[in-house]
Amino acid sequence: MGPLLGRRAKNAAQSARASRIAVAIVIGILVGGIFAFLYPHGLFSWDHASQFKGGRLTKSIIQIGSTLCESSERISMLKSDIADLSSKNLELKKHNTELTAKLKAAEQKNNDEYEVMVVDELQKAGPFGSVKGIRTNSIVLPDDTINPRLSKILKKIAVQNELIVALANSNVKSMLEIWFTSIKKLGMPNYLVVALDDQTVDFCKENGVPFYKRDPDEGFDSIAKTGSNHAVSGLKFRILREFLQLGYSVLLSDVDIVYIQNPFEHIYRDSDVESMSDGHNNMTAYGFNDVFDDPSMGWARYAHTMRIWVYNSGFFYIRPTLPAIELLDRVAERLSQRLPAWDQAVFNEELFFPSYPGYIGLHASKRTMDRYLFMNSKVLFKEVRKDGKLKKLKPVVVHVNYHPDKLPRMIAVVEFYCNGKEDALESFPDGSDW
Ligand SMILES: *[C@@H]1O[C@H](CO)[C@@H](O)[C@H](O)[C@H]1NC(C)=O
C-alpha cells in the first residue's frame, strides 16, 4: 500500500497547490482591478490598499468611501466604480467556479486511476482492546493482458481464484508423479505444473495433469534448462508474479510434498503470505524470545532477541496483493545478482527485516501454518512417528524437506497416511547419515 498511498498524497498535494494558485490568481486580478479604477483618483493610500488583503472587497470599499469622501460627486463616482467592480467580480466568480469544476474533474480522474487503493476515511481508535490493524490487504486489479495464454488456463482450472502451482523439470519426474497422484486422489482440479522442459510436458499429457509451459521467447527457458539451482529459484518468483498479476492466490508447492487433505480447507487467507515452517516445535515454528547473555555487562547482562525458524519457501500460500508482489520482486531481484544466495534465506530476510537507515523493509503480513497440519519431515521423523497420540493426527501435507532420500520417504508417507500401513515410517533414521 505504501507507494500508492504516497502517490495519492502527491495527487492531493498537487490539487491543493492548484487550488491555492487559482485563489491567488483571482485575488491578484481583483486587487489589480481596484488599483486600476481607484488609484488614479488619489483616494487610497497604501495603508488602505492593504485592507483588501482579506478579499472582502465590497465591504472594504464602502467603509473607505464613507470615511474618506464627503461630496456627493465622489459618492456617485464611487458607486459607479462599485457597480463596475461588482460586475467584474461576478465574471471572476464565474471563472472561479469553472476552474473549481475543472480541478474537481482532474481529481476525480486521479481517483479513478487509483481505484484499487481506497484509503479508509479517518476514524476514531475505539475503546481499549477493540482495535485491529490491517492484515488482509486488498487484492490487485487482475490484468489479463500480461499473459493471456496463462490467464485462459487459470480461468479453466482455478477454484475461487486459487490453485496449487509447482515448477518441475524431468529431473524430479518420480517425485512429481507421487505429488500429482496424491492431489488427484483428493479430487482437486485446481493444481498446475509449470513444466520447465518438453519431457515434463509429455509426462503431464500422458497423465492428464494440467500443465503450463512458458513460450521460448519469454527468455526464461534457457535459465530453466541450463541455469544453476539459484537461477531456477529466481525464475520461480518471476513466474509466480504473473499468477498474482492475473489475480490468483497461489499455493506454491515443491514436488517433494505428499497431499493428505485438501489444503484449501486449512488456509486462513488473512495474510499476504501464509507459510509452512522449518521449525520443529512451537517455539522455533512460531517465534520466541531468545535471551543473549553477556556477563561482562553485569546488571544488564541479558539482551532479549527475537528468533523464529525460517519459513519454507517451498510451500507457501500467497495472495495477489501489492506487498506480496513486492516480496516476489525483491527476492527475484536479489537472486538475479550474481552473488550466491539461497532463495529461502533471501525470502525470509525480505519478509522479516524491518526498515532501518539506508534500507526500506517490506511490510507484508505473514502467518505461520500449523506445524502439525503442514508438517515438515523433521517433525514427522523426529517427533510424530514416535508419539502414539501424534501418530493419529492426520496432516494436510507432509514435506520431505529435511531428508535427501526424498523418494522412499515420500512413498512411506503415502503408505502410512493413505494406505494404513502402520510401520511404513519405521525403517528410516531420524536424520540423514551423510
Ligand atoms: C503449540 O501451539 C499450538 C498452537 O498454538 C497450541 O495449541 C499448543 O497448545 C502448543 N503446545 C505447547 C506444548 O505449547
Side-chain angles (χ1 to χ4, degrees):
M1 234 172 180
L4 285 176
L5 264 174
R7 218 174 319 176
R8 255 186 83 91
K10 209 167 112 193
N11 289 333
Q14 278 167 355
S15 306
R17 200 171 56 194
S19 317
R20 280 203 300 275
I21 291 170
V23 169
I25 290 171
V26 169
I27 290 173
I29 291 171
L30 287 176
V31 170
I34 288 150
F35 273 91
F37 275 95
L38 303 180
Y39 194 73
H41 299 296
L43 284 172
F44 292 85
S45 68
W46 284 103
D47 271 34
H48 294 122
S50 70
Q51 288 187 43
F52 292 139
K53 267 197 299 201
R56 292 153 79 192
L57 280 173
T58 315
K59 204 174 155 203
S60 301
I61 289 167
I62 287 168
Q63 276 171 354
I64 292 159
S66 65
T67 54
L68 290 184
C69 308
E70 308 298 305
S71 79
S72 61
E73 194 196 333
R74 278 267 178 260
I75 289 173
S76 67
M77 217 167 82
L78 262 179
K79 268 186 183 163
S80 104
D81 285 346
I82 287 167
D84 238 342
L85 272 175
S86 301
S87 85
K88 276 219 155 61
N89 201 7
L90 267 180
E91 257 172 56
L92 282 168
K93 258 188 190 158
K94 206 177 127 206
H95 186 60
N96 201 7
T97 313
E98 279 165 16
L99 271 181
T100 310
K102 274 186 192 159
L103 279 172
K104 280 226 170 90
E107 267 171 15
Q108 187 55 45
K109 207 171 140 227
N110 283 336
N111 287 346
D112 292 346
E113 217 169 301
Y114 300 113
E115 192 179 29
V116 281
M117 9 78 63
V118 177
V119 175
D120 289 340
E121 305 227 323
L122 293 184
Q123 51 182 336
K124 293 180 181 171
F128 174 80
S130 72
V131 296
K132 298 263 190 296
I134 297 171
R135 276 171 292 278
T136 313
N137 291 310
S138 36
I139 63 170
V140 298
L141 198 61
D143 181 4
D144 290 348
T145 63
I146 59 120
N147 191 334
R149 190 164 63 87
L150 179 59
S151 168
K152 228 173 119 189
I153 296 173
L154 297 184
K155 281 201 174 98
K156 253 188 258 160
I157 64 164
V159 175
Q160 289 176 343
N161 288 329
E162 293 177 327
L163 75 159
I164 303 172
V165 173
L167 271 67
N169 60 24
S170 49
N171 297 335
V172 296
K173 187 176 166 184
S174 323
M175 285 193 281
L176 181 63
E177 185 169 14
I178 298 176
W179 181 86
F180 67 62
T181 305
S182 71
I183 293 174
K184 280 181 174 182
K185 237 192 225 165
L186 298 171
M188 300 172 53
N190 52 336
Y191 68 105
L192 183 74
V193 172
V194 176
L196 300 174
D197 54 29
D198 293 332
Q199 294 102 299
T200 307
V201 169
D202 294 340
F203 188 53
C204 288
K205 279 183 184 162
E206 283 161 29
N207 290 279
V209 167
F211 67 92
Y212 162 68
K213 173 101 176 1
R214 296 188 62 92
D215 291 331
D217 64 332
E218 282 166 315
F220 290 117
D221 290 55
S222 61
I223 306 175
K225 278 181 200 131
T226 61
S228 68
N229 255 348
H230 295 309
V232 175
S233 300
L235 175 72
K236 173 171 97 177
F237 296 96
R238 285 179 198 270
I239 294 177
L240 207 44
R241 183 194 218 275
E242 296 195 347
F243 288 78
L244 269 54
Q245 270 185 290
L246 293 171
Y248 293 87
S249 294
V250 172
L251 183 59
L252 188 279
S253 177
D254 281 352
V255 293
D256 53 348
I257 292 176
V258 176
Y259 288 74
I260 298 151
Q261 299 186 56
N262 184 337
F264 293 112
E265 288 166 13
H266 301 272
I267 299 286
Y268 286 78
R269 301 176 181 82
D270 65 348
S271 305
D272 295 313
V273 179
E274 197 168 333
S275 181
M276 167 182 261
S277 171
D278 270 8
H280 54 267
N281 56 25
N282 278 12
M283 283 168 67
T284 55
Y286 306 144
F288 66 106
N289 178 358
D290 192 20
V291 181
F292 174 83
D293 185 10
D294 180 358
S296 74
M297 286 300 290
W299 177 75
R301 62 185 290 174
Y302 300 115
H304 294 254
T305 74
M306 301 294 109
R307 278 193 92 183
I308 187 165
W309 264 225
V310 289
Y311 279 4
N312 192 291
S313 62
F315 190 89
F316 58 87
Y317 177 84
I318 187 162
R319 297 181 68 241
T321 66
L322 290 177
I325 294 171
E326 187 185 354
L327 171 67
L328 298 179
D329 288 357
R330 281 168 170 252
V331 175
E333 168 63 25
R334 273 186 61 191
L335 292 176
S336 72
Q337 294 161 6
R338 295 209 164 263
L339 306 163
W342 184 31
D343 70 318
Q344 181 156 289
V346 172
F347 179 78
N348 279 271
E349 287 168 12
E350 293 297 334
L351 200 50
F352 284 92
F353 288 156
S355 302
Y356 56 81
Y359 176 77
I360 306 286
L362 179 78
H363 295 270
S365 55
K366 42 209 172 276
R367 164 182 282 282
T368 311
M369 289 175 166
D370 185 300
R371 67 187 192 90
Y372 287 130
L373 293 182
F374 297 89
M375 196 186 290
N376 65 52
S377 57
K378 180 170 176 177
V379 170
L380 176 61
F381 285 96
K382 276 199 81 172
E383 183 190 4
V384 170
R385 68 166 172 165
K386 300 170 183 173
D387 183 307
K389 242 183 175 168
L390 292 175
K391 256 171 97 166
K392 296 204 177 77
L393 283 178
K394 198 175 169 191
V396 176
V397 303
V398 171
H399 189 177
V400 186
N401 61 324
Y402 266 105
H403 298 90
D405 48 344
K406 291 175 185 294
L407 195 59
R409 289 197 195 236
M410 280 179 85
I411 293 168
V413 167
V414 172
E415 290 294 303
F416 182 78
Y417 283 113
C418 308
N419 302 334
K421 203 172 160 212
E422 282 188 26
D423 62 350
L425 300 172
E426 274 160 31
S427 63
F428 296 92
D430 284 1
S432 79
D433 303 325
W434 286 99

